[in-house]
mmCIF file of all heavy atoms in Angstrom:
data_model
loop_
_atom_site.group_PDB
_atom_site.id
_atom_site.type_symbol
_atom_site.label_atom_id
_atom_site.label_comp_id
_atom_site.label_asym_id
_atom_site.label_seq_id
_atom_site.Cartn_x
_atom_site.Cartn_y
_atom_site.Cartn_z
ATOM 1 N N GLY A 1 -59.333 -24.301 34.770
ATOM 2 C CA GLY A 1 -58.492 -25.333 35.343
ATOM 3 C C GLY A 1 -58.697 -25.532 36.826
ATOM 4 O O GLY A 1 -59.348 -24.728 37.498
ATOM 5 N N TRP A 2 -58.143 -26.627 37.312
ATOM 6 C CA TRP A 2 -58.175 -26.965 38.722
ATOM 7 C C TRP A 2 -56.767 -27.079 39.263
ATOM 8 O O TRP A 2 -55.895 -27.695 38.631
ATOM 9 C CB TRP A 2 -58.910 -28.288 38.957
ATOM 10 C CG TRP A 2 -60.382 -28.216 38.740
ATOM 11 C CD1 TRP A 2 -61.058 -28.540 37.607
ATOM 12 C CD2 TRP A 2 -61.357 -27.803 39.696
ATOM 13 N NE1 TRP A 2 -62.400 -28.356 37.792
ATOM 14 C CE2 TRP A 2 -62.616 -27.900 39.073
ATOM 15 C CE3 TRP A 2 -61.298 -27.360 41.020
ATOM 16 C CZ2 TRP A 2 -63.804 -27.575 39.721
ATOM 17 C CZ3 TRP A 2 -62.469 -27.032 41.669
ATOM 18 C CH2 TRP A 2 -63.705 -27.141 41.015
ATOM 19 N N PHE A 3 -56.550 -26.499 40.421
ATOM 20 C CA PHE A 3 -55.301 -26.597 41.147
ATOM 21 C C PHE A 3 -55.614 -27.022 42.575
ATOM 22 O O PHE A 3 -56.740 -26.904 43.032
ATOM 23 C CB PHE A 3 -54.556 -25.263 41.154
ATOM 24 C CG PHE A 3 -54.082 -24.821 39.800
ATOM 25 C CD1 PHE A 3 -54.950 -24.234 38.901
ATOM 26 C CD2 PHE A 3 -52.755 -24.992 39.427
ATOM 27 C CE1 PHE A 3 -54.525 -23.825 37.650
ATOM 28 C CE2 PHE A 3 -52.307 -24.584 38.179
ATOM 29 C CZ PHE A 3 -53.193 -24.009 37.292
ATOM 30 N N ARG A 4 -54.608 -27.494 43.285
ATOM 31 C CA ARG A 4 -54.798 -27.823 44.688
ATOM 32 C C ARG A 4 -53.556 -27.439 45.475
ATOM 33 O O ARG A 4 -52.452 -27.398 44.946
ATOM 34 C CB ARG A 4 -55.113 -29.311 44.880
ATOM 35 C CG ARG A 4 -53.998 -30.254 44.473
ATOM 36 C CD ARG A 4 -54.490 -31.692 44.479
ATOM 37 N NE ARG A 4 -53.454 -32.623 44.053
ATOM 38 C CZ ARG A 4 -53.681 -33.895 43.743
ATOM 39 N NH1 ARG A 4 -54.915 -34.388 43.828
ATOM 40 N NH2 ARG A 4 -52.677 -34.670 43.359
ATOM 41 N N GLN A 5 -53.762 -27.165 46.745
ATOM 42 C CA GLN A 5 -52.663 -26.806 47.622
ATOM 43 C C GLN A 5 -52.832 -27.529 48.947
ATOM 44 O O GLN A 5 -53.788 -27.279 49.680
ATOM 45 C CB GLN A 5 -52.593 -25.296 47.835
ATOM 46 C CG GLN A 5 -51.361 -24.842 48.584
ATOM 47 C CD GLN A 5 -51.127 -23.347 48.454
ATOM 48 O OE1 GLN A 5 -52.036 -22.593 48.119
ATOM 49 N NE2 GLN A 5 -49.904 -22.923 48.702
ATOM 50 N N ALA A 6 -51.906 -28.417 49.225
ATOM 51 C CA ALA A 6 -51.895 -29.162 50.476
ATOM 52 C C ALA A 6 -51.125 -28.375 51.530
ATOM 53 O O ALA A 6 -50.297 -27.517 51.196
ATOM 54 C CB ALA A 6 -51.261 -30.525 50.265
ATOM 55 N N PRO A 7 -51.359 -28.652 52.805
ATOM 56 C CA PRO A 7 -50.644 -27.944 53.866
ATOM 57 C C PRO A 7 -49.132 -28.047 53.712
ATOM 58 O O PRO A 7 -48.595 -29.142 53.537
ATOM 59 C CB PRO A 7 -51.121 -28.653 55.131
ATOM 60 C CG PRO A 7 -52.467 -29.179 54.779
ATOM 61 C CD PRO A 7 -52.350 -29.600 53.343
ATOM 62 N N GLY A 8 -48.458 -26.909 53.751
ATOM 63 C CA GLY A 8 -47.013 -26.880 53.662
ATOM 64 C C GLY A 8 -46.442 -27.078 52.278
ATOM 65 O O GLY A 8 -45.218 -27.170 52.128
ATOM 66 N N LYS A 9 -47.282 -27.147 51.260
ATOM 67 C CA LYS A 9 -46.814 -27.379 49.906
ATOM 68 C C LYS A 9 -47.272 -26.256 48.977
ATOM 69 O O LYS A 9 -48.184 -25.503 49.291
ATOM 70 C CB LYS A 9 -47.321 -28.724 49.383
ATOM 71 C CG LYS A 9 -46.807 -29.930 50.156
ATOM 72 C CD LYS A 9 -47.283 -31.228 49.535
ATOM 73 C CE LYS A 9 -46.749 -32.422 50.286
ATOM 74 N NZ LYS A 9 -47.215 -33.699 49.677
ATOM 75 N N GLU A 10 -46.614 -26.173 47.834
ATOM 76 C CA GLU A 10 -46.982 -25.183 46.839
ATOM 77 C C GLU A 10 -48.214 -25.635 46.065
ATOM 78 O O GLU A 10 -48.530 -26.823 45.994
ATOM 79 C CB GLU A 10 -45.821 -24.923 45.878
ATOM 80 C CG GLU A 10 -44.611 -24.290 46.532
ATOM 81 C CD GLU A 10 -43.535 -23.944 45.535
ATOM 82 O OE1 GLU A 10 -43.648 -24.358 44.370
ATOM 83 O OE2 GLU A 10 -42.586 -23.252 45.920
ATOM 84 N N ARG A 11 -48.884 -24.671 45.491
ATOM 85 C CA ARG A 11 -50.043 -24.969 44.674
ATOM 86 C C ARG A 11 -49.628 -25.761 43.437
ATOM 87 O O ARG A 11 -48.653 -25.419 42.764
ATOM 88 C CB ARG A 11 -50.735 -23.672 44.273
ATOM 89 C CG ARG A 11 -52.104 -23.855 43.661
ATOM 90 C CD ARG A 11 -52.835 -22.520 43.592
ATOM 91 N NE ARG A 11 -53.022 -21.954 44.924
ATOM 92 C CZ ARG A 11 -53.700 -20.838 45.163
ATOM 93 N NH1 ARG A 11 -54.260 -20.170 44.169
ATOM 94 N NH2 ARG A 11 -53.815 -20.390 46.407
ATOM 95 N N GLU A 12 -50.368 -26.825 43.129
ATOM 96 C CA GLU A 12 -50.021 -27.671 42.002
ATOM 97 C C GLU A 12 -51.196 -27.846 41.048
ATOM 98 O O GLU A 12 -52.363 -27.809 41.440
ATOM 99 C CB GLU A 12 -49.531 -29.041 42.476
ATOM 100 C CG GLU A 12 -50.591 -29.883 43.155
ATOM 101 C CD GLU A 12 -50.121 -31.298 43.454
ATOM 102 O OE1 GLU A 12 -49.118 -31.742 42.862
ATOM 103 O OE2 GLU A 12 -50.761 -31.966 44.291
ATOM 104 N N PHE A 13 -50.854 -28.071 39.811
ATOM 105 C CA PHE A 13 -51.832 -28.279 38.762
ATOM 106 C C PHE A 13 -52.503 -29.637 38.899
ATOM 107 O O PHE A 13 -51.848 -30.639 39.182
ATOM 108 C CB PHE A 13 -51.135 -28.174 37.403
ATOM 109 C CG PHE A 13 -51.993 -28.504 36.226
ATOM 110 C CD1 PHE A 13 -52.904 -27.583 35.728
ATOM 111 C CD2 PHE A 13 -51.888 -29.735 35.599
ATOM 112 C CE1 PHE A 13 -53.690 -27.872 34.629
ATOM 113 C CE2 PHE A 13 -52.666 -30.038 34.499
ATOM 114 C CZ PHE A 13 -53.573 -29.108 34.018
ATOM 115 N N VAL A 14 -53.812 -29.671 38.682
ATOM 116 C CA VAL A 14 -54.568 -30.916 38.710
ATOM 117 C C VAL A 14 -55.088 -31.262 37.314
ATOM 118 O O VAL A 14 -54.871 -32.355 36.806
ATOM 119 C CB VAL A 14 -55.742 -30.842 39.698
ATOM 120 C CG1 VAL A 14 -56.579 -32.123 39.641
ATOM 121 C CG2 VAL A 14 -55.232 -30.599 41.114
ATOM 122 N N GLY A 15 -55.790 -30.336 36.703
ATOM 123 C CA GLY A 15 -56.335 -30.566 35.376
ATOM 124 C C GLY A 15 -56.910 -29.295 34.805
ATOM 125 O O GLY A 15 -57.127 -28.312 35.516
ATOM 126 N N ALA A 16 -57.176 -29.305 33.503
ATOM 127 C CA ALA A 16 -57.729 -28.138 32.841
ATOM 128 C C ALA A 16 -58.472 -28.559 31.586
ATOM 129 O O ALA A 16 -58.254 -29.653 31.049
ATOM 130 C CB ALA A 16 -56.636 -27.126 32.496
ATOM 131 N N ILE A 17 -59.325 -27.671 31.113
ATOM 132 C CA ILE A 17 -60.063 -27.906 29.887
ATOM 133 C C ILE A 17 -60.155 -26.604 29.115
ATOM 134 O O ILE A 17 -60.351 -25.543 29.699
ATOM 135 C CB ILE A 17 -61.464 -28.499 30.184
ATOM 136 C CG1 ILE A 17 -62.169 -28.929 28.893
ATOM 137 C CG2 ILE A 17 -62.314 -27.512 30.972
ATOM 138 C CD1 ILE A 17 -63.397 -29.799 29.141
ATOM 139 N N THR A 18 -59.995 -26.685 27.801
ATOM 140 C CA THR A 18 -60.166 -25.503 26.970
ATOM 141 C C THR A 18 -61.633 -25.353 26.613
ATOM 142 O O THR A 18 -62.356 -26.338 26.439
ATOM 143 C CB THR A 18 -59.323 -25.581 25.686
ATOM 144 O OG1 THR A 18 -59.736 -26.709 24.893
ATOM 145 C CG2 THR A 18 -57.852 -25.728 26.016
ATOM 146 N N TRP A 19 -62.078 -24.111 26.513
ATOM 147 C CA TRP A 19 -63.504 -23.868 26.380
ATOM 148 C C TRP A 19 -64.046 -24.115 24.989
ATOM 149 O O TRP A 19 -65.194 -24.531 24.837
ATOM 150 C CB TRP A 19 -63.836 -22.451 26.844
ATOM 151 C CG TRP A 19 -65.188 -22.386 27.459
ATOM 152 C CD1 TRP A 19 -66.268 -21.683 27.017
ATOM 153 C CD2 TRP A 19 -65.614 -23.075 28.634
ATOM 154 N NE1 TRP A 19 -67.334 -21.890 27.835
ATOM 155 C CE2 TRP A 19 -66.968 -22.740 28.844
ATOM 156 C CE3 TRP A 19 -64.977 -23.948 29.538
ATOM 157 C CZ2 TRP A 19 -67.695 -23.256 29.920
ATOM 158 C CZ3 TRP A 19 -65.695 -24.464 30.593
ATOM 159 C CH2 TRP A 19 -67.043 -24.107 30.775
ATOM 160 N N LYS A 20 -63.249 -23.869 23.969
ATOM 161 C CA LYS A 20 -63.709 -24.063 22.605
ATOM 162 C C LYS A 20 -63.290 -25.406 22.017
ATOM 163 O O LYS A 20 -64.084 -26.069 21.356
ATOM 164 C CB LYS A 20 -63.199 -22.931 21.709
ATOM 165 C CG LYS A 20 -63.792 -21.574 22.023
ATOM 166 C CD LYS A 20 -63.317 -20.522 21.030
ATOM 167 C CE LYS A 20 -63.963 -19.177 21.316
ATOM 168 N NZ LYS A 20 -63.523 -18.139 20.362
ATOM 169 N N GLY A 21 -62.077 -25.802 22.250
ATOM 170 C CA GLY A 21 -61.577 -27.039 21.680
ATOM 171 C C GLY A 21 -61.909 -28.289 22.473
ATOM 172 O O GLY A 21 -61.763 -29.403 21.968
ATOM 173 N N ASP A 22 -62.335 -28.116 23.718
ATOM 174 C CA ASP A 22 -62.690 -29.235 24.588
ATOM 175 C C ASP A 22 -61.505 -30.173 24.810
ATOM 176 O O ASP A 22 -61.678 -31.382 24.968
ATOM 177 C CB ASP A 22 -63.882 -30.000 24.007
ATOM 178 C CG ASP A 22 -64.581 -30.871 25.030
ATOM 179 O OD1 ASP A 22 -64.534 -30.545 26.231
ATOM 180 O OD2 ASP A 22 -65.185 -31.881 24.625
ATOM 181 N N ASN A 23 -60.309 -29.631 24.822
ATOM 182 C CA ASN A 23 -59.123 -30.415 25.119
ATOM 183 C C ASN A 23 -58.895 -30.452 26.622
ATOM 184 O O ASN A 23 -59.057 -29.446 27.308
ATOM 185 C CB ASN A 23 -57.891 -29.820 24.438
ATOM 186 C CG ASN A 23 -58.033 -29.761 22.931
ATOM 187 O OD1 ASN A 23 -57.971 -28.686 22.333
ATOM 188 N ND2 ASN A 23 -58.215 -30.910 22.303
ATOM 189 N N THR A 24 -58.512 -31.604 27.117
ATOM 190 C CA THR A 24 -58.265 -31.758 28.542
ATOM 191 C C THR A 24 -56.804 -32.047 28.819
ATOM 192 O O THR A 24 -56.102 -32.648 27.998
ATOM 193 C CB THR A 24 -59.135 -32.864 29.143
ATOM 194 O OG1 THR A 24 -58.933 -34.087 28.413
ATOM 195 C CG2 THR A 24 -60.602 -32.490 29.083
ATOM 196 N N TYR A 25 -56.355 -31.633 29.985
ATOM 197 C CA TYR A 25 -54.986 -31.814 30.432
ATOM 198 C C TYR A 25 -55.029 -32.262 31.888
ATOM 199 O O TYR A 25 -55.853 -31.779 32.661
ATOM 200 C CB TYR A 25 -54.197 -30.508 30.321
ATOM 201 C CG TYR A 25 -54.213 -29.892 28.942
ATOM 202 C CD1 TYR A 25 -55.306 -29.143 28.508
ATOM 203 C CD2 TYR A 25 -53.138 -30.055 28.079
ATOM 204 C CE1 TYR A 25 -55.328 -28.582 27.240
ATOM 205 C CE2 TYR A 25 -53.155 -29.494 26.813
ATOM 206 C CZ TYR A 25 -54.254 -28.756 26.398
ATOM 207 O OH TYR A 25 -54.268 -28.204 25.144
ATOM 208 N N TYR A 26 -54.131 -33.164 32.251
ATOM 209 C CA TYR A 26 -54.119 -33.692 33.608
ATOM 210 C C TYR A 26 -52.704 -33.808 34.139
ATOM 211 O O TYR A 26 -51.756 -34.059 33.392
ATOM 212 C CB TYR A 26 -54.758 -35.079 33.663
ATOM 213 C CG TYR A 26 -56.210 -35.122 33.292
ATOM 214 C CD1 TYR A 26 -56.604 -35.464 32.007
ATOM 215 C CD2 TYR A 26 -57.190 -34.824 34.225
ATOM 216 C CE1 TYR A 26 -57.939 -35.508 31.654
ATOM 217 C CE2 TYR A 26 -58.532 -34.867 33.883
ATOM 218 C CZ TYR A 26 -58.901 -35.208 32.597
ATOM 219 O OH TYR A 26 -60.234 -35.250 32.261
ATOM 220 N N ALA A 27 -52.591 -33.641 35.438
ATOM 221 C CA ALA A 27 -51.351 -33.991 36.100
ATOM 222 C C ALA A 27 -51.163 -35.505 36.031
ATOM 223 O O ALA A 27 -52.138 -36.262 36.080
ATOM 224 C CB ALA A 27 -51.373 -33.535 37.558
ATOM 225 N N ASP A 28 -49.914 -35.941 35.935
ATOM 226 C CA ASP A 28 -49.638 -37.374 35.846
ATOM 227 C C ASP A 28 -50.209 -38.138 37.039
ATOM 228 O O ASP A 28 -50.666 -39.272 36.899
ATOM 229 C CB ASP A 28 -48.137 -37.618 35.757
ATOM 230 C CG ASP A 28 -47.548 -37.204 34.424
ATOM 231 O OD1 ASP A 28 -48.310 -37.041 33.452
ATOM 232 O OD2 ASP A 28 -46.317 -37.055 34.351
ATOM 233 N N SER A 29 -50.215 -37.518 38.188
ATOM 234 C CA SER A 29 -50.633 -38.185 39.404
ATOM 235 C C SER A 29 -52.127 -38.501 39.452
ATOM 236 O O SER A 29 -52.556 -39.331 40.258
ATOM 237 C CB SER A 29 -50.255 -37.342 40.630
ATOM 238 O OG SER A 29 -50.891 -36.084 40.593
ATOM 239 N N VAL A 30 -52.926 -37.856 38.604
ATOM 240 C CA VAL A 30 -54.372 -38.059 38.650
ATOM 241 C C VAL A 30 -54.926 -38.702 37.387
ATOM 242 O O VAL A 30 -56.130 -39.012 37.337
ATOM 243 C CB VAL A 30 -55.124 -36.742 38.927
ATOM 244 C CG1 VAL A 30 -54.572 -36.065 40.173
ATOM 245 C CG2 VAL A 30 -55.063 -35.808 37.724
ATOM 246 N N LYS A 31 -54.099 -38.926 36.389
ATOM 247 C CA LYS A 31 -54.569 -39.519 35.145
ATOM 248 C C LYS A 31 -55.196 -40.890 35.395
ATOM 249 O O LYS A 31 -54.647 -41.716 36.114
ATOM 250 C CB LYS A 31 -53.424 -39.658 34.148
ATOM 251 C CG LYS A 31 -52.974 -38.345 33.541
ATOM 252 C CD LYS A 31 -51.835 -38.556 32.545
ATOM 253 C CE LYS A 31 -51.393 -37.240 31.929
ATOM 254 N NZ LYS A 31 -50.251 -37.424 31.001
#
């Protein structure tokens, strides 16, 4: 998965992928 952390903010989820099923997940803000 990918996460990001902006200055002064908590780390947030960006997206992820499963290795066998090839399923993807995204934060609403980046879809």
Side-chain angles (χ1 to χ4, degrees):
W2 289 96
F3 294 79
R4 64 190 178 192
Q5 188 164 19
K9 297 183 179 180
E10 295 185 350
R11 192 167 299 184
E12 66 173 343
F13 174 79
V14 176
I17 188 167
T18 62
W19 213 243
K20 293 184 178 180
D22 198 27
N23 300 120
T24 55
Y25 305 80
Y26 297 97
D28 289 342
S29 61
V30 307
K31 287 180 180 178

